[in-house]
């Protein structure tokens, strides 16, 4: 039986208003398209959400001890005369046709945990963030030294996710609400909230 699509949410004020990104989401994340189309979508969503004019950098293919992450975002801050790059987000991408394969999500979950562990190694960051993007579906996570990976949509379901064409994630709104972690002013703490419904959708929690 085909997966029932969620209702279409409001797109105003979200990445769906960016013509290029919207074109790719609507027409180039189909099962027949390669992984690089998924990477292109998320690279541009993150670059638009975290602007270079505010000290952010988003790039692709970066080594983090345990392997090579597909997309990463960092924030450069000043401490007196010194600049420091704070890496805080990784997105692991897979080609669209793999979205219905549970084993791929499990494999990507393991990879993401390794990359985030490597990214946080050697820093004082207690919390960093990650996502798994496969076609039009995405799952968001936070990582802590104490608890490892936790799904931000549903902590009880580590594969909970949603459809970026029909449900707009909090990247476009509340992820921009940066707070400084208590006692560590150089560490960026990000609170992610859904843009519309008051919670992350969990319609794709099970394949």
């Amino acid at each position: 039986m085909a997966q029932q699509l969620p209702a279409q949410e409001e797109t105003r004020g979200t990445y769906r208003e960016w013509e290029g990104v919207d074109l790719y989401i609507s027409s180039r994340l189909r099962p027949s398209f390669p992984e690089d189309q998924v990477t292109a979508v998320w690279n541009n969503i993150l670059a638009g959400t975290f602007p270079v004019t505010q000290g952010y950098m988003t790039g692709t293919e970066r080594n983090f001890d345990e392997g090579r992450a597909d997309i990463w975002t960092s924030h450069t801050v000043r401490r007196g005369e010194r600049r420091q790059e704070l890496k805080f987000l990784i997105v692991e991408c897979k080609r669209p046709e793999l979205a219905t394969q549970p084993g791929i999500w499990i494999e990507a979950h393991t990879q993401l945990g390794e990359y985030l562990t490597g990214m946080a190694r050697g820093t004082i960051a207690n919390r960093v963030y990650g996502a798994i993007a496969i076609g039009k579906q995405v799952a968001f996570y936070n990582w802590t030294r104490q608890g490892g990976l936790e799904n931000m949509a549903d902590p009880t379901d580590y594969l909970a996710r949603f459809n970026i064409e029909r449900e707009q994630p909090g990247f476009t709104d509340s992820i921009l609400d940066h707070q400084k972690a208590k006692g560590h002013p150089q560490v960026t703490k990000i609170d992610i909230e859904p843009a519309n419904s008051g919670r992350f959708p969990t319609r794709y929690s099970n394949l």
Side-chain angles (χ1 to χ4, degrees):
M1 182 179 295
Q3 179 82 55
Q4 183 178 358
L5 290 174
Q8 179 66 63
E9 292 186 352
E10 176 60 64
T11 61
R12 286 178 298 179
T14 75
Y15 53 80
R16 294 295 306 280
E17 289 193 320
W18 303 340
E19 292 291 348
V21 169
D22 192 54
L23 171 66
Y24 270 63
I25 289 175
S26 61
S27 65
R28 300 186 186 179
L29 296 185
R30 297 171 183 168
S32 60
F33 281 79
E35 179 181 309
D36 62 8
Q37 305 298 285
V38 181
T39 301
V41 166
W42 281 99
N43 192 41
N44 282 279
I45 288 176
L46 295 180
T49 304
F50 299 102
V52 66
T53 54
Q54 296 179 23
Y56 294 100
M57 286 287 291
T58 294
T60 59
E61 301 294 322
R62 186 166 182 168
N63 290 322
F64 288 104
D65 294 345
E66 305 297 334
R68 184 179 291 269
D70 292 324
I71 306 175
W72 53 271
T73 299
S74 68
H75 191 203
T76 298
V77 297
R78 280 193 176 273
R79 302 186 66 191
E81 295 300 315
R82 182 168 161 263
R83 288 181 293 189
Q84 181 179 10
E85 181 188 23
L86 308 173
K87 297 177 285 291
F88 65 87
L89 175 64
I90 286 174
V91 180
E92 178 66 15
C93 301
K94 303 290 184 185
R95 65 184 186 274
E97 68 176 346
L98 302 177
T100 59
Q101 299 184 26
I104 297 299
W105 286 94
I106 294 170
E107 175 187 311
H109 182 271
T110 299
Q111 287 180 313
L112 182 63
E114 292 174 348
Y115 297 159
L116 292 174
T117 300
M119 184 171 71
R121 186 176 293 127
T123 74
I124 62 171
N126 291 316
R127 184 183 302 271
V128 290
Y129 297 86
I132 299 170
I134 307 182
K136 295 180 182 181
Q137 296 184 35
V138 63
F140 289 109
Y141 300 88
N142 64 51
W143 177 97
T144 62
R145 296 183 188 278
Q146 297 76 22
L149 274 184
E150 180 180 85
N151 191 297
M152 300 183 73
D154 182 356
T156 68
D157 182 357
Y158 71 97
L159 295 182
R161 54 201 181 276
F162 57 93
N163 182 306
I164 65 169
E165 183 174 29
R166 304 181 71 87
E167 301 167 298
Q168 278 64 61
F171 267 114
T172 55
D173 284 340
S174 299
I175 200 171
L176 297 177
D177 180 22
H178 294 276
Q179 299 174 353
K180 298 301 175 69
K182 184 177 180 181
H184 301 293
Q186 70 273 37
V187 177
T188 302
K189 177 178 180 293
I190 305 168
D191 292 325
I192 303 178
E193 304 258 343
N196 299 299
S197 64
R199 62 180 178 82
F200 274 91
T202 57
R203 297 180 180 88
Y204 284 83
S205 61
N206 295 299
L207 286 170

